[in-house]
Amino acid sequence: MTEPDPWRHMASAPKNGSRILVTIRPSEQGAAEVDLAYWSNGDQFGAEGWRASDSSPGRIIQYAEPELKCWMPMPSANLTRTSMPSPWEGEDERELDGSGI
């Protein structure tokens, strides 16, 4: 059984400022890429629209809607008790990190 494709149409992307993964369409500048982006309502540094998450004031990387093909939510870490490693229960702390050698 295969897992469902996590990529979704851009029309359903959240415009609440949360970070998402986006596929940028291929262009004359290069092949398709994946980037981390978020929706900005616009500010003194740029207009409303999709921005690369590594944008900074004075260096806004903004994507036009047609540049973005699809999106998916950021993968989340599963930090439940069952996924956490068991505590180390060794006898001597000098054994940690090879310091007892």
Side-chain angles (χ1 to χ4, degrees), residues 10 22-25 39 48-51 61-69:
M10 284 304 296
V22 294
T23 295
I24 304 162
R25 294 181 188 277
W39 178 263
E48 178 180 78
W50 293 105
R51 292 183 184 177
I61 301 167
Q62 191 148 342
Y63 296 112
E65 290 277 347
E67 288 181 275
L68 302 178
K69 185 174 185 178

Side-chain angles (χ1 to χ4, degrees), residues 6-8 14 19-21 71-76:
W7 292 101
R8 302 170 184 165
R19 269 117 173 102
I20 59 173
L21 294 174
W71 75 281
M72 70 182 287
M74 287 291 299
S76 61

Side-chain angles (χ1 to χ4, degrees), residues 1-15:
M1 182 172 170
T2 62
E3 291 189 29
D5 189 354
W7 292 101
R8 302 170 184 165
H9 191 275
M10 284 304 296
S12 67
K15 293 185 175 180

Side-chain angles (χ1 to χ4, degrees), residues 26-38:
S27 68
E28 300 83 38
Q29 285 79 32
E33 297 181 8
V34 173
D35 198 3
L36 183 62
Y38 67 97

